[in-house]
Amino acid sequence: MCGIIGYVGRRPATPILIEGLRRLEYRGYDSTGIALVKRGNIAVTKSAGRLSVMEQMADMKAPQTTGIGHTRWATHGAPTDVNAHPHLDSTGRIAVIHNGQFDNDRALRTYLERQGIKCKSETDTEVLAQLINKFYQGDLEQAVRQALSEVSGAYAIAVVCSEEPDVVVAARKGGPLLIGVGKGEHLVASDPAAVLAHTSQVVYMSDGEMARITSDHVSMTTLDAIPVTREVEEVEWSLDEIELGGYEHFMLKEIMEQPGALENCLRGRIHAKDGSVHLGGLVDCTRELTRAKRFILTGCGTAWHAALVGEYLFEELIRTPTETEYASELRYRNPVIDDGTVVIAVSQSGETADTLAALVEAKSRGALTLGVVNAVGSSIARETDAGVFLHVGPEIGVASTKAFTAQVAVLAMMACYLGRRKHLSPSSAMQFIASLARIPQQVSEILGNADEARAVAQKYIEFENWLYLGRGYNYPVALEGALKLKEISYIHAEGLPAAEMKHGPIALIHEGMPVVVIATAGTQYDRILNNIAQVRARGGSVIAIATEGDREIARMAEHVLYVPDTIESLQPLLTVIPLQLIAYHAAVLRGCNVDKPRNLAKSVTVE
Ligand code: F6R
């Protein structure tokens, strides 16, 4: 989704802005632009298309030391040069970049038109630039504050003015924003990745806050002008983590780094010796959690799939009723939520608009809220009462991979942690934790045979429709495998609980159609073999994900991709790996832009 970078300091701003925008590219965008400020003039360079197009037009040697830059993902108006940010007011003295959407921009546009002010673009952002100019009387911060009091909706903005060339004003309400603190310079950005090359010291802005930023000073207030003080925090991520490091794509890098990522996620939290789990983020609310009458797990997309695995884990280990809800549905339903309900938001970015809104709604109804989040300092991490971070480093590839396995690992740890305080016996907990501790090594073994997944992708690359089937713990994995394939290779794929196939989708199966079946050892094994037989009888080609040593399956499936043995409840951590690899290779073989799939954004901060 849109990205913001701003700089005020002593160095020429252009290379810093362009570099920041490059770090934000992964979030998805369709146009880019920068604005450089000097007294009496703002120079804007912007264009539709990739960053490289705008970069060629920009003057890399421009002397200005204050500027703002933006990657836009079109919402109000098509992705054209005119609609690209930054937007100037009609006098050209104010420039604005904006993530989010204003709800009342049409009314404001009409109001401005009545005053003879006409906007050039179709964007809501230009409306704000015009408003700021209207209120400007020599104090940019005050003018921005006044203009924001007229708009409703969600935003993160950065604003510059040619009459105050050493100032950037930033504000947020519903969109992430942070200030990077350097020596004699400050940056403002929507994502830590954009500032990391210059500083790892950041101040996360909270909702409803504004900042006036110069090279030497930052003053923060609420939108109502009440001064606020925020701590400077250290970003844990290193620059290496946001670079390709020799891989062709971030998605492949992130698939391959899962063993290490999972180790980081589990480190210090699980103790195989006695089966105990230590989750610092839950200590203060453990009593409330053990007394909970119901858990609702919520999220979107891949995070929702991880939550669904979590539902199975919670019910089995904690024995407390648990439901998984799409955040986009939960926020608008009239859900029965009370103070006996715990709502757990699962989100890699911590910024997904629907998940955040569902959380706020649940909180207002009295629920205790927890986050299972990767991005420290993100809106969901700050909004929840407590939570557990994934600690897997930044996920840059648009298709979520290492976040999924870490989300499942965290939910598994939470299930065991709370289960032990309820019905789970010490010996069951020990077996569970010993199995969890082996997972990183087992993932590494699967990745060692990554070529087999490539061969499968190659063989079926011409097919436009795939089915993914799973049962029990592997049903969410079937959904996740199908989502991975469709989002990056644009092949249509459907994931189903295997038994549902005969209630309709079986009609789709035709000669040779690839059907991926997760058929690992466990309680569902015989039933899933029946499903395989049903697919074969209709001419489908079965690609089975099976447990190492299972020779029977090799007689029934065209292809078998083996995963090491583990307990059934942890199988999703292994069975998803070959499916991630199949999707990756299918996309590469079809020449798709794996890290920047069409129409997709890394973090969906609008509805
Ligand atoms: C798919 C994918 C998305 C995200 C979803 C939620 O590969 O990445 O489906 O999982 O947009 O994002 P987060 O986890 O950031 O809330």
Side-chain angles (χ1 to χ4, degrees), residues 300-303 346-350 352 355 398-400 407 483-484 487 602 604:
C300 304
T302 289
V346 183
S347 173
Q348 188 285 129
S349 63
T352 302
T355 312
V398 166
S400 190
Q407 284 158 351
L483 176 64
K484 283 291 88 88
E487 69 178 328
K602 181 63 186 162
V604 185

